[in-house]
Amino acid sequence: MTLTHTPAPTNTRLNRLFAPTSIAVVGASASPGKLGSVMLDAINRGSDGTVTAYGINPKGAGDGFHVSLAAATESHGAPIDLAVLCIPAVATPAALREAADCGVGAALICSGGFAEAGPDGIALQNQLADITAETGIRLLGPNTSGFFRPGNTTVSFVPTVEHINRGTVAVVAASGGMNHALSFLLSEQGVGVGLGVGLGNSVDVTSVDVLEYLSEDPTVTAIALHVESVDDGQALLAAVRKVTAEKPIVAIVVGRSDVSAFSESHTGALATSWKTTRALLAEAGAVVVDSERQLVDALAVLSRTRLTAAPTPGIGLVTAQAGPGLMILDELLAQDVQVPTLTGSTQAGLSELLPPLTFQANPVDTGRPGATFGNVLATTAADPGIDALAVYALAEPDAIDLAAAVRESGVHTDVPVVLGIGGPGEAVGKTSASAAEIGVPVLPSPTALATGISALVHDARSRYLRAADPRPTATATATATATATALSLPADEATAKDLLDALGIATPQRRVCTDRTAAHQALTEITLPVAVKILDATVVHKTEIGGVHLGIRTAEDLDTALDALDAIGAPAYLVESMATSGVDLFLGARRDPVFGPIVVAGLGGTAAEAIGDVAIRSHHLTHAAAAAMLDDLQCAPLLDGWRGGPVLNRDEFAHLAVTVAGYLAAHPEISDIEINPLRLTPTGLTALDAVILPAPNRPTALEGELQ
């Protein structure tokens, strides 16, 4: 096979790192088995002939070796693109400084012993950061096994990397080990890798830098992103939004369980909430998966095809075996993928092509595939509710060539088609190769097919939800009023609700009472029954200290409640009309230490903290994304008229969520805004309680919901 050098992206500072034409290995040795010699040998064997490699060893060691970087630069006749430092940690700062002084464009540090190793290592890592900041040399690592472009350039000391097939998927992994692990899996699936990068400790080059680089790389069609920790959440989300507008990203995030101690020893980086990271990556456009197997299945599809952005793409499922078809259908529905019933005219057309006892409404059960299989695919795809086809069959070469059926029908030129094939490797491999020629992905099992189709749908849906929404997030009057409101922090409940009123968020009728006489007067002025609460900006959880009394109708009831509030030192009282019964939600906005302003919503009360059934978005959420936000919840059926209950107006909720998020983002003096409960009643949403807390104090009001 003839290999051509991969064209590098233009207008980027990382070309000298990822597309070098000259590489110097500092610490290279002629002794087999040493890290430097293994790396130099890998570079020489993995190059397509366009890379000149030099070994740097103070003692010299024969042809191709030089005693210093300066000597290698003189021999090369120009500054060297990349220096690979295979030396002990204590020696790397001086070597990095020397590389910068010699005009080297980028460096890669393989050794560990930096931030993950304790105080001394942190000091060494800080020296590296200072050098990169002062000189502009780009640095990958330390503590990484490197990177590779199969068929072009290998800068990795893992010897089996040469078995990774060339492809169009880039791997950006927090660790060098996961870079290789994912790349091997992608290669085995027939997807292949265009660039694989292990970031290591990310002193300089981060996932953000690599994603931006890949956005300009025409040879990369999709990206695998492995995340262990996040330093600059907003920069990461901005990069994901930018890239996914053009090419898909499939992300896997470590941290479902408490692995923080091991994570810190591995990367030395700041870990953030696993749930928050996953939710915000998905909102930004990434397809977030639970395992490396799912990542490979998703990329097998998204590296070859992509749906047009749409809110609910419809999938046509055609299967030659009912049992696997049921498994696929079950998984698609569990992933909230629409498998719509085909129109009457489509079913009539299928009835002329298939045996009478087969199911034809969607899924379409063909029975043993035959000569009409291609026509069945074309007829199903032509249905107005179908945006893509999922096709599963066992390999039966004597009955049908599935790839040929797709090619001859031409259906793949109208809608994305994904094949799932079961059978012996030789038969499946032959079909996969034929399908690849026409850009049709092939997956090896019913579950894999469902995963790939789900990724296709969620990618299209997230792009739709991120599209510009022309509807205003709040009325001009409410925004102006809220901006003009003098907010004293910390704010008590009445002040917080005054702000919500100004933002156009409904709150109950209420009176602020500084003495018992005013409280009794309020009882005669507002709708009964009332709630009587302690009014104290320093008390966040009023119920826990006996600061809330409900169902007050009479003067006697009121006096009893006021006696209890006086006993806990209430400086003032809030007398408030009680809302009708309904479903209690919470809606909060807070400043996450990694991602900045975020929005959190879920079932109200302490149940949300115990169950963890929450939806999380960034403050960049659009109206459309906010309207769909609560669909993430397991309790979502409660919001759709469960057993005669109230129905949530998604647009009303979206207005509240976007408004609260926008206000927090625009007011850095506030750290948290929490509405809990936010009651859904037959007449709409009403904020029954509200808390606003000042920055930089970071309260625990929402932390339970974020874990």
Side-chain angles (χ1 to χ4, degrees), residues 471-540:
R471 285 173 290 183
T473 59
T475 66
T477 301
T479 301
T481 303
T483 302
T485 299
L487 190 63
S488 176
L489 294 172
D492 60 30
E493 181 181 346
T495 302
K497 285 180 174 175
D498 288 343
L499 174 63
L500 297 185
D501 288 338
L503 291 172
I505 299 172
T507 62
Q509 182 186 21
R510 60 188 175 277
R511 296 287 187 275
V512 174
C513 305
T514 57
D515 55 39
R516 298 175 76 103
T517 300
H520 278 278
Q521 180 64 32
L523 190 66
T524 68
E525 296 175 347
I526 60 179
T527 304
L528 300 177
V530 300
V532 181
K533 308 177 185 179
I534 182 174
L535 192 60
D536 186 340
T538 65
V539 177
V540 176

Side-chain angles (χ1 to χ4, degrees), residues 447-469:
T447 301
L449 176 57
T451 298
I453 287 291
S454 296
L456 193 68
V457 168
H458 290 306
D459 171 67
R461 185 180 296 161
S462 68
R463 280 181 285 125
Y464 171 82
L465 291 175
R466 295 199 318 277
D469 195 319

